[in-house]
Amino acid sequence: MKKVKQMNGSAAEVEAAFYEALNRADVEALMALWAEDEEIVCIHPGGPRLHGHVAIQTAWEAILERGGLQIHPSRLYETNNLMSSVHTVIEGVTSTAGDEPAHLVATNVYMKTPRGWRMVLHHVSVAPGAAPAIEHVGSSLH
């Protein structure tokens, strides 16, 4: 059995590793960032709710079988407390076909686990029109 890397940094570091793994099409690294709990959920644009490791990994394998995605998160808005962190980001997507860059809106939820911060939800929707220009400052719950 392969040893899973311990990531004890912040939820933001897990998020950065998540998007790096997507860009590299590294499903193994991507799945190592999810919580071990089977109550994890992933919803891709226009897709059904995927529940648990097997369903989520199978979907990512199908999406990434042709290579990495060029997704660049920006305009982070985050809400944090001691045990959870909710991030909403604009995902800029570039195409190799020369199409206009598109953008998606994603919500990523992280929980503090014994293995460090781990993703428990990734929900992405297609956003119409141009990406919003307003940037939000992060906040913390007490």
Side-chain angles (χ1 to χ4, degrees):
M1 184 172 173
K2 186 173 182 175
K3 185 176 180 180
V4 177
K5 181 183 175 188
Q6 181 92 2
M7 181 171 271
N8 290 322
S10 67
E13 290 172 316
V14 173
E15 185 159 81
F18 175 78
Y19 286 105
E20 288 170 12
L22 281 178
N23 290 336
R24 291 190 322 268
D26 187 342
V27 176
E28 186 176 342
L30 184 81
M31 292 308 298
L33 300 169
W34 287 83
E36 292 178 351
D37 189 339
E38 281 300 315
E39 299 302 314
I40 59 175
V41 174
C42 185
I43 304 171
H44 297 291
R49 179 179 65 180
L50 304 170
H51 188 260
H53 285 272
V54 172
I56 293 170
Q57 182 167 343
T58 300
W60 281 121
E61 287 170 347
I63 290 168
L64 297 173
E65 70 184 357
R66 293 188 187 129
L69 302 174
Q70 297 308 306
I71 297 177
H72 308 284
S74 65
R75 296 177 186 88
L76 169 65
Y77 179 79
E78 64 184 296
T79 302
N80 303 296
N81 66 33
L82 291 175
M83 299 302 288
S84 66
S85 185
V86 178
H87 296 192
T88 58
V89 297
I90 304 297
E91 293 183 345
V93 182
T94 55
S95 168
T96 57
D99 298 332
E100 282 291 314
H103 75 282
L104 306 168
V105 178
T107 301
N108 299 317
V109 178
Y110 304 90
M111 298 290 292
K112 182 79 170 189
T113 74
R115 288 181 46 224
W117 288 95
R118 292 292 182 265
M119 182 175 275
V120 295
L121 170 76
H122 176 67
H123 183 188
V124 182
S125 298
V126 174
I134 300 171
E135 297 211 19
H136 296 282
V137 177
S139 64
S140 296
L141 296 176
H142 300 285

